Amino acid sequence: MSHDDNITARTKRTQQTVFREAQARGLTLKVIAIDSGLGYTTVQSYARGEAAMSLPALVKLIGVIPADLISMLFPDGWQLVPVPEDINHDEFCDLITDYRHMKDDAHRPESPAGRDLSPCELEKLDRKVAQIRGA
């Protein structure tokens, strides 16, 4: 089996997971096909892992299948993140500034883990990152 075959097999398995999770969230394959403009039998073949999705098909699914599920098709460490249309740059700047202050405070010698990040500090920083991503 060549390297490309491994990639194709992994892609097909991941596609099955993506479509299964989309269906668990109430998206039927028929709705996915209609909303994306892809043929129903094509969507079925992707969902069953019979065919590897093409890049144009993937692009058609963006906005139909939630971004966190589409991101499962990307390599580790990569994800699809929609860019908000109306960014409040003042609010965004405040969130970034808050994050920076929280991160600096977490590295002080008197913080719970000293200069390292403690689990409680990581949790707070993660929540702030989630806020930033949503801004």
Side-chain angles (χ1 to χ4, degrees), residues 20-132:
R20 185 175 53 249
E21 290 296 317
Q23 289 176 299
R25 295 183 190 186
L27 289 170
T28 66
L29 296 181
K30 190 172 276 191
V31 167
I32 291 170
I34 291 168
D35 288 352
S36 68
L38 293 169
Y40 180 57
T41 56
T42 300
V43 171
Q44 286 179 312
S45 69
Y46 295 153
R48 289 191 297 258
E50 296 169 352
M53 201 180 313
S54 68
L55 181 57
L58 176 65
V59 170
K60 287 183 175 189
L61 291 172
I62 293 173
V64 176
I65 293 178
D68 64 310
L69 296 181
I70 295 287
S71 294
M72 294 172 69
L73 296 165
F74 299 163
D76 288 344
W78 292 87
Q79 61 180 303
L80 177 69
V81 180
V83 177
E85 291 182 20
D86 298 322
I87 298 172
N88 181 329
H89 290 277
D90 292 328
E91 178 184 320
F92 189 76
C93 184
D94 291 343
L95 290 169
I96 296 290
T97 301
D98 288 347
Y99 174 84
R100 175 67 194 264
H101 289 304
M102 289 172 65
K103 176 89 168 48
D104 288 345
D105 287 346
H107 286 295
R108 292 183 308 162
E110 62 272 9
S111 74
R115 293 202 170 275
D116 295 329
L117 295 174
S118 69
C120 67
E121 291 166 328
L122 282 170
E123 185 179 326
K124 288 178 185 176
L125 289 169
D126 288 349
R127 282 197 309 268
K128 185 57 74 174
V129 168
Q131 283 182 299
I132 291 168

